[in-house]
Amino acid sequence: MGRSYIVEETIGQYLSELTAKSKPLITGLLVGQCSPQRDYVILAIQTPLKDEESKRNASSEPTSIDEEWTTAHANQVSRMLPGGLLVLGVFAVAIPELSKEIQNILRKLVFSVEKSLARKRLWNLLEEDVSDRVAVHLCPATKKFCRTYDIQDPKSTPKPADWKYQNGLSNSWLSLECTVNSNIHIPLLATSACHELEKNVRNGLIRWAKQIEEAAILINGQVKEEDADLIDSQKKTGRGIMPSAAQSFNARVLTKLSQKSNSRSTATVQICSGSINLKGALKCKAYIHNNKPKVKDAVKALKRDIINTLSDRCEILFEDLLMNETPGKKSLEREYHALPCRVFAPLAGSSRVLACDYKFGDETVREIQERFLEMLDQAVQAEDLHPAEEMSTVEVIPPKELPDDIQHKQLTKQTLLLKLHQNIGVVLAVAVAISAAAFSFNYFSD
């Protein structure tokens, strides 16, 4: 028996409206949450067109689908999802003439989207994580078919899945919230070039992400067993849904001060001449569907949101710096940058689940509204935007780089050999003095 997909009823209306447009081919993303027994779909998003020219020249052939554009859209949508929500798969609205081609297109999109999203993750998949992703084809004549693919198996064959609509699904969620104070020091190697800055930051965040994955989480000030029910039995109602006031949990993250005694620690020494310091507070949220939720599932969702939101902010900052970079400028001075602030807004038709965007200080509310409309296909009112009260900064101390024209700044090989023969002692003394002045050593434990 295939997987079951419980789908927000408003999605059915959204997909019907896309079908009524009578376009040869429309693609989009499905967003929701996985669970061992079934998946919950709370959002369908049409893939935005690139520009006005692409709208005028859009081809009816399936080869006109831009796979890279679809995966880029999936990456942007993934940034806007809090913990517990993810891109579950793709859908396509296509005419009957494309029924054969569309199955191959959907399969290709499913694997491309998942591969792109996996490349960005800093956390590790667990054995219990669901690996099935869904592909839905809707046709005005033949209605729809729903298939799943195992994204861990490149040779996976499609399996049938059950697609059921449910009214009010978006309001049956529990939420967890916490604020995490970060103070992360990332050394930059003396041999690093400027283009390796983002790579160094990612490596530093991977080490920090491991600490978050191993951290303990207090829920409403209590330590709970992983396999315990998130909702106390005495607080459940007849249908398993609590009053709205009791559907939120406050969480606190406790990271370990040292490694386990049975694990071996190895120290490394690297020559560094720069560093990046990430300091500030991160507002984090996670959601879990109110169907026998376990503590371990809620904790996993929250930890992944903590890791994702810092990683996404750094990525957005680097993108902004790259777009606004002055040609030919190489900064050798210490710099301070503000990470973008998280802004939350409710999903359409839901009073419980919030999506998010990231706002720099000089951006307007209008720009945030435009991104919600473009990326999530949802109009958001200004009064529904809720900025998180947080402040995070990035201090960049760039590494010292070798001059562009090395020949004018360094001795040639022949000159160096000649001076070594003339006075090897003096040369060695100078070399030691230069090395001591140019480099600093950073010691840290993996």
Side-chain angles (χ1 to χ4, degrees), residues 178-184 208 212 253 255 278-282 391:
C178 73
T179 299
V180 178
N181 294 314
S182 64
N183 187 2
I184 306 169
W208 168 80
I212 297 298
V253 181
T255 56
L278 303 173
K279 297 180 181 180
L282 307 173
M391 181 64 68

Side-chain angles (χ1 to χ4, degrees), residues 105-175:
I105 290 175
L106 286 173
R107 176 192 172 89
K108 190 174 183 180
L109 287 180
V110 165
F111 281 92
S112 295
V113 166
E114 184 61 28
K115 182 179 180 180
S116 179
L117 294 176
R119 192 181 298 120
K120 295 175 53 182
R121 291 179 190 141
L122 299 184
W123 41 266
N124 297 314
L125 286 172
L126 303 177
E127 187 176 342
E128 63 266 22
D129 281 316
V130 176
S131 60
D132 285 344
R133 295 295 180 265
V134 65
V136 179
H137 171 213
L138 299 103
C139 174
T142 61
K143 299 305 178 184
K144 68 174 180 295
F145 77 79
C146 181
R147 300 287 186 270
T148 60
Y149 296 91
D150 183 354
I151 46 89
Q152 298 292 342
D153 179 11
K155 298 181 180 180
S156 171
T157 56
K159 295 177 290 186
D162 195 17
W163 185 270
K164 297 180 180 179
Y165 289 109
Q166 179 178 314
N167 186 31
L169 175 66
S170 298
N171 294 321
S172 302
W173 296 79
L174 306 173
S175 65

